[in-house]
Amino acid sequence: MHSPTYGNISFEDMISKIKNFISKSPNSEYNISVGTDSQNFDYTKTVIVVSVYRRGHGGIFFYDIKNVKRINNLMQKLFYETSTSLEIAVKLLKAFEEEKINLGISIHVDAGNNGSTSKFIREITGWVNSYGFDCETKPNSYAASSIADKFSK
């Protein structure tokens, strides 16, 4: 994982940084989000983001970049992004349980009611919810549509 604040760190170090961030203000409200966005070049550049937002007081985020064979089909690309987010969220949830961090995780999907991705929202949201996670779409899916988008260009 990478962080603008901490540089290159392992997944385990990311968990430690999140735990430390939360411990500085344990009574605050937090939004933990995992989102993915991708852009096509000769390959598909995929950016996965883990965002920890302390309501009203900013936050920290971590990201990882994967380059995969070019995905041209929009539906396949959106489902790949979502599966990547779910994979990280499940791993994050297990680590949180081990560290006694009792916070929910939401999945941010780079799809919205306007545009070509709108026809996939119901399926994607149902899939994410079946894993037990909340699902946010545009305009509320900032981890995917803002943070990951910035690093995928």
Side-chain angles (χ1 to χ4, degrees):
M1 299 299 284
H2 310 283
S3 164
T5 307
Y6 305 109
N8 294 335
I9 61 173
S10 68
F11 185 86
E12 293 75 21
D13 286 340
M14 178 184 72
I15 298 301
S16 177
K17 301 294 185 196
I18 291 171
K19 186 175 180 179
N20 184 50
F21 181 75
I22 292 168
S23 72
K24 291 180 180 176
S25 185
N27 296 323
S28 294
E29 283 188 50
Y30 292 90
N31 291 341
I32 312 285
S33 309
V34 177
T36 303
D37 190 30
S38 62
Q39 298 291 328
N40 280 341
F41 302 97
D42 291 338
Y43 53 91
T44 298
K45 181 180 182 182
T46 308
V47 179
I48 307 102
V49 169
V50 175
S51 167
V52 183
Y53 172 62
R54 184 182 296 140
R55 285 204 178 169
H57 299 284
I60 57 175
F61 71 90
F62 307 87
Y63 67 96
D64 198 19
I65 298 172
K66 290 183 183 180
N67 295 324
V68 298
K69 184 179 175 185
R70 187 178 169 99
I71 304 169
N72 290 316
N73 181 286
L74 180 62
M75 182 181 75
Q76 288 176 336
K77 196 162 120 171
L78 187 59
F79 275 76
Y80 175 73
E81 291 171 4
T82 305
S83 70
T84 303
S85 292
L86 285 168
E87 181 182 320
I88 293 296
V90 167
K91 190 175 176 183
L92 194 60
L93 189 60
K94 287 178 183 175
F96 280 5
E97 288 172 358
E98 290 173 8
E99 293 293 328
K100 310 285 190 254
I101 299 171
N102 190 19
L103 295 172
I105 300 169
S106 64
I107 304 296
H108 286 198
V109 179
D110 192 32
N113 288 322
N114 300 322
S116 56
T117 58
S118 63
K119 58 189 166 203
F120 307 119
I121 288 180
R122 200 170 70 189
E123 290 85 357
I124 294 284
T125 307
W127 183 26
V128 168
N129 293 159
S130 76
Y131 272 80
F133 298 111
D134 290 332
C135 185
E136 293 288 346
T137 59
K138 289 179 181 179
N140 300 320
S141 59
Y142 58 84
S145 58
S146 293
I147 303 171
D149 179 72
K150 175 183 175 183
F151 290 94
S152 68
K153 306 266 180 192

